Amino acid sequence: MALLNVKPYDKWFYEEKLKNFLPDTFIDCHTHIWIPEHIVGVDNAHRSQSWPGLVADSNPIEDLIETNAELYPGKKVISVLYGQTMVNIDLEANNEYTAKAAEANGFPALYISHPSESCEHIKEKFAKHPCFKGLKIYLQFAPAYIPSDEIRIYDFITQDQLKLANEMGWVVQIHIPRPGRLADPVNYIQLREIEDNFPNLQLIIAHLGRAYANEDVGEGINFMKGTKKCVWDFTANTNEDVMYQVLSEFGPERFIYGTDFPIFRMKARRVVENGVYINEIPEGEFPKASIAGDSHMREIPYPEAEKITFFIYEEIDSCRRACERLGLGAADVNNIFYGNSARIFGVE
């Protein structure tokens, strides 16, 4: 049985809008893999949205590879792997599983670090697994006493860990915290500090700074002008206007593709109302009780729902439209989907 429910409309969408836009080989800079055994206890932190957890209760490497095969027929996908970012994950086991999956498939990987980890422990893991190209850090791992809305980047990566990443020339991929997203001065000031103070690490700003609505940008993009190295991944972002702004200011050589699989294998499209993103999903996609009261989720009845395709297709199509607005050519698109990440993650 196929992992995904690929319908005629999905096939049409891919063939007509995406197939010729995408390079034959591309790199996904942002994927999560884990198995049920890595989940220990219950995630009571409630520091992120609940809807992403509805898509899959696990995502073993086999499911990820099958997802790529089903969604991108005729293409080769190189996935940058890392584990699941929940407080109730066994990070030691999940990071080890990720490394072995990366080694078996010739993929790069990122190490999910915890702010309580010593630099010596992290260095040991990188020495054991050269597939690790850097750190994936996440707000969930900030100390439990800090209210979710008050978390800062420095609460989930330490200065010593940043110094280590800088010394080693590692990637640091950051999912920024706080309700204001990229528009929050605490976020963009700390991003700029990391860029300026640790010039040898490769900063990746995940999800375009979580600017899913135009209102989420604020002064964030303007404040980051003048930076020379940081790159923006547009993972799980379908906002063509924000993509256009980032591409305009930083160029296609600092813009990279990611999926957030398994999350973005769901069927959905995104709209923005009053500055808040809403994922419109086909009626019955998830149990009604699981999305009741979630301001980010809205069911769409059939037959209209037949025109809702995979979320990742919507993301890629938004990028396609932004590239067309800027008049970018095939070489620029190849850099966005392959060349930039190949350089960053050492893919040959």
Side-chain angles (χ1 to χ4, degrees), residues 224-239:
M224 296 299 288
K225 286 180 181 178
T227 56
K228 304 297 183 185
K229 191 175 179 181
C230 66
V231 299
W232 303 74
D233 90 41
F234 59 97
T235 299
N237 198 315
T238 65
N239 191 310

Side-chain angles (χ1 to χ4, degrees), residues 23-217:
D24 290 338
T25 299
F26 53 93
I27 298 172
D28 175 357
C29 78
H30 196 129
T31 63
H32 301 270
I33 60 170
W34 76 101
I35 56 177
E37 291 85 342
H38 297 154
I39 307 299
V40 289
V42 178
D43 182 358
N44 291 317
H46 304 301
R47 284 175 157 175
S48 58
Q49 298 299 325
S50 60
W51 64 264
L54 300 173
V55 180
D57 56 12
S58 66
N59 193 43
I61 184 62
E62 294 82 4
D63 282 8
L64 175 63
I65 291 172
E66 184 177 347
T67 297
N68 287 334
E70 290 188 32
L71 288 177
Y72 313 110
K75 306 291 185 181
K76 177 182 177 182
V77 183
I78 299 167
S79 297
V80 179
L81 306 178
Y82 40 85
Q84 178 60 295
T85 51
M86 301 188 301
V87 295
N88 60 324
I89 197 81
D90 182 338
L91 280 180
E92 190 85 9
N94 196 199
N95 277 323
E96 186 70 15
Y97 173 80
T98 298
K100 290 180 178 178
E103 291 159 358
N105 290 278
F107 291 163
L110 293 179
Y111 180 85
I112 296 184
S113 62
H114 193 281
S116 66
E117 275 185 284
S118 70
C119 290
E120 289 72 21
H121 183 262
I122 294 173
K123 288 171 69 174
E124 288 173 5
K125 297 302 180 181
F126 276 68
K128 180 180 178 182
H129 297 295
C131 62
F132 286 131
K133 305 301 180 182
L135 306 177
K136 166 65 176 180
I137 64 171
Y138 199 68
L139 60 94
Q140 294 277 46
F141 304 123
Y145 65 83
I146 301 176
S148 296
D149 291 354
E150 298 177 19
I151 295 172
R152 302 161 301 173
I153 294 170
Y154 297 142
D155 292 321
F156 51 97
I157 186 168
T158 68
Q159 291 293 313
D160 284 344
Q161 290 169 347
L162 285 166
K163 290 176 184 176
L164 175 62
N166 189 65
E167 175 188 339
M168 304 303 293
W170 289 343
V171 168
V172 176
Q173 187 182 60
I174 300 179
H175 175 119
I176 62 173
R178 308 176 72 84
R181 305 173 188 270
L182 185 59
D184 190 315
V186 172
N187 279 329
Y188 60 69
I189 288 171
Q190 291 188 343
L191 287 172
R192 185 64 186 259
E193 286 177 351
I194 292 170
E195 170 81 1
D196 292 343
N197 296 338
F198 304 98
N200 199 42
L201 63 78
Q202 177 58 70
L203 174 62
I204 298 178
I205 304 169
H207 311 294
L208 302 183
R210 296 174 58 235
Y212 304 124
N214 292 355
E215 292 85 348
D216 295 332
V217 173

Side-chain angles (χ1 to χ4, degrees), residues 307-325:
K307 300 301 183 182
I308 297 178
T309 189
F310 295 103
F311 225 162
I312 190 57
Y313 284 1
E314 295 283 356
E315 175 191 313
I316 298 170
D317 196 45
S318 296
C319 178
R320 179 187 63 81
R321 296 194 305 271
C323 288
E324 288 181 352
R325 284 171 63 183

